[in-house]
Amino acid sequence: MKDPIPYSDELESVDATEAETIRDMNDTMDTILERVAEDEGHAYRSVHAKSHGVIAARMTIPDGLPGELAQGIFARPGAHDAILRISTNPGDLLDDAVSVPRGLALKVVNVEGERLDTEDDSTSQDFVMINGPAFSAASAEDFARTLKLLAATTDRAEWGKKLLSKALRGVDKALGPSPTLQTLGGAPNTHPLGETFYTQTPYRYGGYVAKVQLVPVSDTLTRLTGREVDTSGRPDALREEIDAAMREAPAKWELRVQLLRDVEAQPIEDATVVWDEEVSPFQTVAVVEATSQPAWSEARATAVDDAMRFAPWNGITAHRPMGSINRARKSPYDHSARFRERVNRCPIHDPRAADLPA
């Protein structure tokens, strides 16, 4: 393999229209936030509104990582509390028969390092991931267009979404995986605990650059890989399945990173390009373990969905998000969190431990 490419600000290329695009995204976010709040009588995230699992975990960084992997929060061996939130892509609370991409946000608690945002008291590092290696949009401009499509379908016409999702699943299966089709409802409706999740976008990795993935490795998780979930008459089927599996046995994942080694084969700015694992394989830098526990309850959802935020830019400078999609996420994610705080009258805080209610 080639040596990893050192981090540099010059690896990024900012489009002149990006700031205007981000302002447009905030306006679109407002449409989603306000419509859902009016329908539900409660404010939810503008994306990934519905949680399916909220899991307390522990992330352990091993001793003896090679220098190129011992970077950022992974430079020192040790353990951190962590919280995993499994969710669905849109900003409205859909029946689980509408099979859109599933998200997993990993919050690593009590990390050291210079903060990206020095104005709050956060001490955690978030990694926001999706169950697929490629993002559905190449740039901030494309992302804004996709967000408008989601905003246009944010309403209570759920029966139509369920029919469309069923049709799109057939098209996606016949033609091959398409991030765009899956975003609109054509994603396979598989068990989230068996899925591998990806940041899809690059992050600074200390002195280098990397994409991150979370991979199920315990038998309790891998036996669920590819398993279709029957959602017939079960609007919250994923919550039920995740909760049942986590109550039955503990779970273990590996956190892996894929270092930037070739700027041509591994573009920073186009998130639709899957970085070739022949050029740079994913390598394990930590394990994430969760004891047997309830994985969803109203109390857990209130503690995490209302009182916490998960965002790519909530972290330290050693893991600064990179590329057009990540730059476009910063303001809208902050905007969404402030809206939830204001409407729900529930201050958002950063946890100091993975201490979740049953």
Side-chain angles (χ1 to χ4, degrees):
M1 288 187 295
K2 296 180 180 178
D3 290 337
I5 294 171
Y7 168 81
S8 167
D9 292 345
E10 295 179 1
L11 290 170
E12 292 185 279
S13 177
V14 181
D15 188 273
T17 65
E18 201 165 276
E20 181 180 348
T21 298
I22 293 169
R23 285 193 294 271
D24 189 32
M25 289 177 66
N26 279 334
D27 291 340
T28 305
M29 289 281 198
D30 277 339
T31 300
I32 297 172
L33 290 164
E34 291 168 3
R35 188 171 295 163
V36 173
E38 182 178 351
D39 286 345
E40 301 291 341
H42 191 83
Y44 292 88
R45 288 165 170 78
S46 52
V47 290
H48 295 281
K50 185 176 183 179
S51 64
H52 304 300
V54 178
I55 302 169
R58 188 79 168 158
M59 188 182 84
T60 303
I61 303 163
D63 195 4
L65 286 175
E68 64 185 29
L69 299 181
Q71 300 286 321
I73 66 173
F74 305 97
R76 297 188 191 90
H80 298 267
D81 276 4
I83 297 170
L84 290 77
R85 181 182 186 266
I86 300 170
S87 62
T88 284
N89 195 19
D92 46 350
L93 306 182
L94 299 175
D95 186 303
D96 288 350
V98 182
S99 55
V100 286
R102 312 303 180 187
L104 186 149
L106 171 66
K107 181 179 289 293
V108 184
V109 179
N110 294 332
V111 302
E112 296 180 0
E114 180 186 359
R115 304 295 304 177
L116 288 164
D117 184 352
T118 58
E119 294 183 3
D120 65 23
D121 63 352
S122 174
T123 62
S124 61
Q125 172 67 51
D126 294 352
F127 294 105
V128 177
M129 295 176 269
I130 302 291
N131 62 331
F135 199 74
S136 60
S139 65
E141 188 175 356
D142 292 340
F143 190 13
R145 282 194 287 267
T146 300
L147 195 62
K148 286 182 179 180
L149 286 174
L150 290 175
T153 62
T154 303
D155 53 38
R156 287 190 175 278
E158 198 166 64
W159 61 271
K161 294 179 187 179
K162 290 163 72 173
L163 290 175
L164 177 62
S165 182
K166 184 176 181 180
L168 290 176
R169 281 198 299 273
V171 174
D172 189 73
K173 188 175 290 186
L175 299 181
S178 162
T180 300
L181 286 179
Q182 291 182 4
T183 297
L184 296 176
N189 218 345
T190 49
H191 200 302
L193 287 180
E195 295 286 281
T196 294
F197 290 86
Y198 304 77
T199 58
Q200 300 181 332
T201 57
Y203 284 64
R204 180 176 180 178
Y205 191 71
Y208 303 106
V209 176
K211 290 185 177 181
V212 182
Q213 69 172 189
L214 189 71
V215 185
V217 294
S218 62
D219 290 343
T220 55
L221 299 179
T222 57
R223 70 187 183 194
L224 301 174
T225 300
R227 181 184 294 182
E228 294 276 345
V229 175
D230 182 6
T231 59
S232 304
R234 303 170 65 200
D236 298 320
L238 297 182
R239 287 177 180 171
E240 295 165 5
E241 295 289 336
I242 292 171
D243 185 67
M246 286 303 306
R247 286 176 184 270
E248 181 182 342
K252 181 179 179 180
W253 297 261
E254 287 184 359
L255 192 71
R256 301 174 183 172
V257 299
Q258 183 185 32
L259 293 171
L260 175 69
R261 299 179 188 274
D262 185 324
V263 292
E264 298 299 326
Q266 300 172 281
I268 295 291
E269 296 297 341
D270 186 350
T272 64
V273 176
V274 178
W275 287 6
D276 190 347
E277 293 189 47
E278 292 292 325
V279 174
S280 181
F282 280 96
Q283 298 171 278
T284 301
V285 294
V287 296
V288 178
E289 296 175 280
T291 59
S292 177
Q293 62 186 278
W296 197 91
S297 67
E298 292 290 349
R300 284 200 169 199
T302 297
V304 174
D305 292 356
D306 287 352
M308 294 184 197
R309 70 181 179 117
F310 296 80
W313 289 84
N314 182 45
I316 62 174
T317 58
H319 297 300
R320 185 178 73 81
M322 299 179 67
S324 178
I325 298 300
N326 276 331
R327 292 192 300 273
R329 283 167 156 171
K330 187 179 189 306
S331 178
Y333 270 68
D334 290 344
H335 188 75
S336 175
R338 300 290 81 79
F339 181 91
R340 288 191 292 118
E341 273 192 323
R342 185 173 70 255
V343 172
N344 296 337
R345 298 180 181 179
C346 177
I348 292 174
H349 68 277
D350 198 60
R352 297 297 187 262
D355 185 17
L356 301 178

